[in-house]
Amino acid sequence: MNTPKENRAIALSQRVYKRLLRLYPRAHREEYGTAMAQLFRDQCRDAWQAHRGWGLAWLWLHVLPDLFKTAAYERLANRGERKPMFKKTFTEIRTRPAWLALFIVVSLSVFFLVVVAATIVTFMLPEQYSSKARIKVERDMIEAPGVTGRPHMTGVHDPYFIQTEFEVIQSEKILDQVIERLDLNTVWANKYNLQKLKYSESRALLKKMVELRPARNTSLVDITVYNQDPAEAAKIANTVAEVYQTYRREQSAMFLAYNADEYKKLIAELKKQLVVKTNDSKADDDKTSKMIERAARLYMASDGAGQTLAVEIIEHAEPGFRPVRPNKPLNIAIGIGLGLLLGLAAGTLVTMFAIAMRKQPAPAQ
Amino acid sequence: MTATQPDPENFLPLTPAVFHVLLALSDGERHGYAIMREVDQSTGGKIKMGPGTLYGTIKRLLAARLIEEAEERPDPALDDERRRYYRLTALGQRVAKAEAARYADMVRLARGKKLIRATLGGAA
């Protein structure tokens, strides 16, 4: 039984071939067009069964030059016929040097070959959906204690903050949790008919699907996931956002706990300081005021209510309605552009080579 | 009154494509794709005919009355009834034989010149 992909590829090839049959004179087309199209369909089926997409591409590689050559021949043979398409061109070719015909045939062959190949490849690529979760990423108020052993307040501009966080999101620490929560090792193994995947394998797959992009001039980050299954794409995007949020919360909680502990110790010290006084009252005052200042700072740092939420999920991902990859119009447009370029280049090269060969003197008998 | 048959020699030499199509039809009726496959297999894939070349050749062979379209269609259950089957005419057979004889003469000549070995299929 034919697979949908096979049907699609063969049907597309056949549609293109039927269009190209218009290059033949009408009488020839009416007499043999159906038979030629039928024969080409048989060839397509055999080529697909033998080598799938590559077989089709290889078939086109043989069929296109044959088509252009024989279409030109049939038109020249039928020059008495009244045919609007190409009539003028090929009539001119008859009276002009043969190199012009060679240039046109080679250029058109290469052009159509590239366009057809680009179109076939585009339609054969698996369709992917995208889902986007949006998060707001702020720096933590408190960071790890510095060399003084004291935690310090942030507020200094860090140009590498977002890049660092991107690396964190794509790190083993976050992605492995995503894999675990969604059981991707098993899900993907079943999907691709493989044995249970390792974390490293699933992580590599996941990294290819996840794309991170900052929203310009904001602290918002888009987590976009590309996947053949729209529901899975949304689930992964949301889980990445949630795991990262949890990770940042845990980090903050760790620092808060540390600061609360330090605060308690300092208060105990302060109490002792107030009881035991030295003879130097100024030094005592300085020490006491420094300790109070530090205690106040630690109190603020240990109080989670005073902090903003470091990571907030602004938008949850929803399954996409239509595939975003491959971008079919763009791919075909690139194919047309590339085909034009390569066609002209190939036509020029082959014609120059043919002229150069003709100009060479005949070898002495 | 009988019509005068054209001399097969008038058609010679044949192009390789024409001769291969005649050879493919010498075994019996075939449709286009079967002819193409026969040529591909008999030449070990060295000659690959596209649909354009094949039907261009068929058109000229029909015009020259070397082949004709078979009237009978196969059983639709066994094959696609839209397929068109072709077969050699008596003239086509004579032309194919004449071309084969011409090739045989050339092979003999080449052997005489020791360009190819005496064994069949042996290259020089």
Side-chain angles (χ1 to χ4, degrees):
Chain A
M1 203 178 107
N2 294 350
T3 62
K5 194 184 270 186
E6 175 186 344
N7 281 332
R8 220 168 46 215
I10 292 175
L12 178 71
S13 292
Q14 221 182 341
R15 265 207 310 275
V16 173
Y17 188 76
K18 276 182 181 168
R19 287 278 169 93
L20 288 172
L21 283 178
R22 291 181 189 176
L23 293 173
Y24 288 94
R26 188 191 294 166
H28 185 85
R29 206 166 60 234
E30 283 172 358
E31 184 68 29
Y32 300 106
T34 310
M36 287 169 76
Q38 194 178 23
L39 190 150
F40 179 70
R41 189 198 60 197
D42 291 338
Q43 283 186 301
C44 284
R45 282 183 181 163
D46 283 357
W48 181 271
Q49 275 171 11
H51 303 290
R52 299 179 71 80
W54 289 112
L56 272 188
W58 186 245
L59 175 66
W60 273 109
L61 204 70
H62 283 278
V63 163
L64 275 180
D66 175 74
L67 189 139
F68 287 121
K69 190 180 78 182
T70 53
Y73 184 85
E74 292 298 335
R75 285 206 168 262
L76 288 171
N78 285 277
R79 60 180 180 269
E81 227 177 355
R82 291 184 66 184
K83 293 285 168 292
M85 193 170 79
F86 283 124
K87 187 169 188 290
K88 192 180 170 194
T89 314
F90 280 96
T91 312
E92 282 171 356
I93 287 170
R94 269 192 306 123
T95 55
R96 286 183 182 181
W99 59 261
L100 186 57
L102 179 69
F103 175 78
I104 290 172
V105 168
V106 172
S107 301
L108 279 178
S109 298
V110 173
F111 171 73
F112 277 103
L113 191 69
V114 173
V115 173
V116 167
T119 309
I120 288 175
V121 168
T122 299
F123 278 87
M124 279 171 57
L125 284 173
E127 291 180 333
Q128 289 195 324
Y129 296 80
S130 79
S131 280
K132 186 171 73 180
R134 179 166 271 196
I135 55 174
K136 187 179 172 192
V137 181
E138 299 280 0
R139 295 183 64 195
D140 285 315
M141 293 292 284
I142 305 298
E143 285 188 345
V147 285
T148 58
R150 293 186 300 178
H152 60 274
M153 303 291 286
T154 60
V156 182
H157 174 68
D158 178 4
Y160 304 111
F161 172 68
I162 283 289
Q163 282 93 324
T164 310
E165 293 310 297
F166 278 10
E167 291 303 319
V168 170
I169 293 171
Q170 295 186 85
S171 69
E172 192 177 320
K173 202 163 230 175
I174 303 294
L175 295 186
D176 281 8
Q177 282 190 57
V178 174
I179 292 165
E180 196 180 329
R181 277 197 197 184
L182 298 176
D183 194 19
L184 294 178
N185 286 338
T186 313
V187 171
W188 285 346
N190 292 338
K191 195 172 177 180
Y192 301 115
N193 292 326
L194 300 167
Q195 286 183 333
K196 192 173 178 180
L197 297 180
K198 293 176 189 164
Y199 272 92
S200 57
E201 293 167 336
S202 297
R203 203 185 311 128
L205 283 173
L206 194 54
K207 269 188 183 177
K208 283 183 188 168
M209 293 178 190
V210 178
E211 188 181 281
L212 302 171
R213 191 174 292 170
R216 195 180 282 271
N217 298 326
T218 66
S219 52
L220 301 179
V221 172
D222 291 335
I223 301 171
T224 310
V225 175
Y226 296 92
N227 194 297
Q228 289 176 40
D229 178 359
E232 192 175 76
K235 224 187 285 179
I236 292 173
N238 286 329
T239 312
V240 170
E242 285 161 15
V243 169
Y244 175 62
Q245 189 184 40
T246 310
Y247 165 80
R248 288 289 300 271
R249 272 189 185 148
E250 283 170 3
Q251 292 288 307
S252 294
M254 208 169 76
F255 292 130
L256 291 178
Y258 171 84
N259 292 332
D261 202 32
E262 285 290 298
Y263 174 70
K264 280 176 194 164
K265 281 185 199 165
L266 200 61
I267 291 296
E269 261 185 66
L270 255 175
K271 281 178 184 168
K272 278 185 204 164
Q273 178 70 22
L274 291 172
V275 175
V276 185
K277 288 208 170 204
T278 61
N279 294 331
D280 187 352
S281 62
K282 192 175 179 306
D284 282 345
D285 285 350
D286 281 354
K287 194 176 177 186
T288 309
S289 62
K290 273 182 187 167
M291 287 174 83
I292 289 169
E293 194 184 316
R294 189 173 168 224
R297 207 186 298 143
L298 277 171
Y299 177 76
M300 277 173 66
S302 63
D303 181 14
Q307 291 191 58
T308 55
L309 200 58
V311 176
E312 192 180 350
I313 299 175
I314 304 293
E315 275 176 33
H316 282 91
E318 294 291 339
F321 290 110
R322 61 182 67 166
V324 293
R325 283 178 179 173
N327 189 336
K328 288 172 188 167
L330 179 71
N331 285 8
I332 293 169
I334 290 172
I336 290 171
L338 197 68
L340 272 174
L341 215 68
L342 290 176
L344 288 174
T348 309
L349 275 175
V350 171
T351 311
M352 282 170 69
F353 181 72
I355 292 170
M357 291 297 285
R358 182 168 284 188
K359 278 181 182 170
Q360 277 180 4
Q365 295 294 318
Chain B
M1 198 177 91
T2 53
T4 49
Q5 286 282 329
D7 185 357
E9 295 292 328
N10 293 343
F11 292 92
L12 306 187
L14 302 177
T15 62
V18 167
F19 190 42
H20 277 293
V21 171
L22 293 181
L23 283 178
L25 291 176
S26 62
D27 295 335
E29 293 175 7
R30 284 182 202 274
H31 54 72
Y33 192 47
I35 296 171
M36 186 185 279
R37 292 186 72 159
E38 167 70 18
V39 172
D40 187 52
Q41 282 168 11
S42 63
T43 62
K46 283 181 185 165
I47 293 186
K48 287 193 186 293
M49 293 173 117
T53 303
L54 179 71
Y55 278 98
T57 307
I58 286 175
K59 181 183 172 182
R60 274 170 269 288
L61 287 172
L62 284 169
R65 296 174 194 277
L66 299 185
I67 63 169
E68 61 189 0
E69 202 173 324
E71 296 283 322
E72 288 174 14
R73 291 282 185 265
D75 183 352
L78 298 174
D79 200 356
D80 189 342
E81 62 179 339
R82 289 172 304 174
R83 286 191 195 279
R84 293 158 75 167
Y85 280 70
Y86 301 96
R87 66 179 169 220
L88 281 185
T89 58
L91 175 62
Q93 274 188 340
R94 283 164 54 212
V95 170
K97 279 180 186 170
E99 180 70 345
R102 193 177 69 83
Y103 271 102
D105 286 344
M106 288 177 75
V107 170
R108 251 194 312 276
L109 185 66
R111 276 193 199 138
K113 300 278 183 189
K114 296 187 178 167
L115 292 173
I116 51 175
R117 288 177 195 160
T119 50
L120 278 174

